[in-house]
Amino acid sequence: MSLIHAQNLAKSYRVGDLEVPALKGIDFVIEPSSFVAFVGPSGSGKSTLLNLVGCLDHPTSGKLTVLDTDVAALNRSASAEFRGRHIGFIFQDFNLIPVLTAYENIEYPLVMVQNWPAAQRHDRVMSLLDAVGMADQAGKRPDQLSGGQKQRVAVARALVANSKLVLADEPTANLDHDTAYRIIELMRKMRDEFGTTFVFSTHDAKIMREAEVTFTLEDGRFITNPPSHHD
Ligand code: ADP
Ligand code: MG
């Protein structure tokens, strides 16, 4: 069973009287436990595609199945429920809550959506802090952390509720190159450890080579991938 299946998936935005086509009918399959990149220049449709897969927006036409669910058919509240249960998100600008510590930011999805018992919650948050190498920074607030450290907290937050799928829209765009590599490496390690599928977007060709599967977008369509540089 595939984890994500898109068939002739299209999305247009209405801007005044204009229809702006952002995705022009794309097909792809993503298998469970894979490590996937959507690559392409700014405006090629990466965010539009991740928003559809993340049930943050609805396709204009075509079919999209995520975890055996026809997500185009979900209404607003069912989408929110589906996201909370199955999908973790990582953002370009980290999106941590500034007044909460690293620990509390990671704990947040468990408090808000999952309602875990307190003791279990503590064990889960501590194990994730440890997994991303941030156990010694648990009490710090985002403004006391570097960009790379903030993104480690965001990776832990995306995983804490046992999501099967983590979506990361340009997770390395605000990081220097060495830090960017280390975050991608961390995501792959988390995939190895937990079997979580990671799907990230990037416009950086070097970062793209770290993925095991890549789809290259240009103007809302896939183009044929160049040969992989992966050893
Ligand atoms: P990327 O993430 O690769 O930069 P996007 O998915 O953000 O690409 O954008 C794809 C196309 O859709 C672009 O032409 C962009 O201008 C357009 N677009 C994206 N979001 C909107 C929106 N909310 N309203 C109108 N047009 C949009
Ligand atoms: Mg984008």
Side-chain angles (χ1 to χ4, degrees), residues 17-30:
D17 290 338
L18 279 177
E19 284 277 312
V20 179
L23 290 176
K24 300 171 179 172
I26 58 172
D27 300 88
F28 62 92
V29 172
I30 292 176

Side-chain angles (χ1 to χ4, degrees), residues 129-144:
L129 272 163
D130 201 42
V132 300
M134 289 289 290
D136 54 348
Q137 312 287 323
K140 291 198 175 158
R141 288 193 318 267
D143 64 1
Q144 300 171 294

Side-chain angles (χ1 to χ4, degrees), residues 11-15 18-23 38-51 57 169-170 201-203 217 219-220:
K11 172 73 185 177
S12 299
Y13 297 101
R14 177 160 277 286
V15 182
L18 279 177
E19 284 277 312
V20 179
L23 290 176
F38 287 112
V39 191
S42 179
S44 59
K46 304 182 296 298
S47 294
T48 299
L49 182 47
L50 285 180
N51 288 345
D57 206 352
D169 196 0
E170 306 223 27
S201 70
T202 181
H203 58 257
L217 276 161
D219 204 15

Side-chain angles (χ1 to χ4, degrees), residues 18-154:
L18 279 177
E19 284 277 312
V20 179
L23 290 176
K24 300 171 179 172
I26 58 172
D27 300 88
F28 62 92
V29 172
I30 292 176
E31 301 298 339
S33 300
S34 48
F35 196 67
V36 181
F38 287 112
V39 191
S42 179
S44 59
K46 304 182 296 298
S47 294
T48 299
L49 182 47
L50 285 180
N51 288 345
L52 295 180
V53 173
C55 307
L56 293 163
D57 206 352
H58 275 77
T60 307
S61 62
K63 201 164 176 336
L64 179 62
T65 309
V66 181
L67 287 156
D68 279 335
T69 302
D70 175 6
V71 294
L74 299 178
N75 66 22
R76 216 179 158 75
S77 70
S79 289
E81 153 90 20
F82 185 82
R83 281 198 302 276
R85 190 176 291 281
H86 299 296
I87 306 178
F89 293 88
I90 298 170
F91 304 92
Q92 175 176 334
D93 49 5
F94 320 120
N95 277 21
L96 301 179
I97 299 171
V99 296
L100 299 184
T101 63
Y103 179 100
E104 291 163 341
N105 267 282
I106 297 168
E107 184 187 36
Y108 191 75
L110 299 183
V111 179
M112 293 314 289
V113 182
Q114 311 268 326
N115 243 315
W116 286 30
Q120 228 175 300
R121 219 162 61 207
H122 178 79
D123 291 348
R124 179 73 184 151
V125 175
M126 288 313 291
S127 79
L128 260 303
L129 272 163
D130 201 42
V132 300
M134 289 289 290
D136 54 348
Q137 312 287 323
K140 291 198 175 158
R141 288 193 318 267
D143 64 1
Q144 300 171 294
L145 301 172
S146 69
Q149 289 175 323
K150 279 188 267 212
Q151 206 57 311
R152 283 174 183 273
V153 172

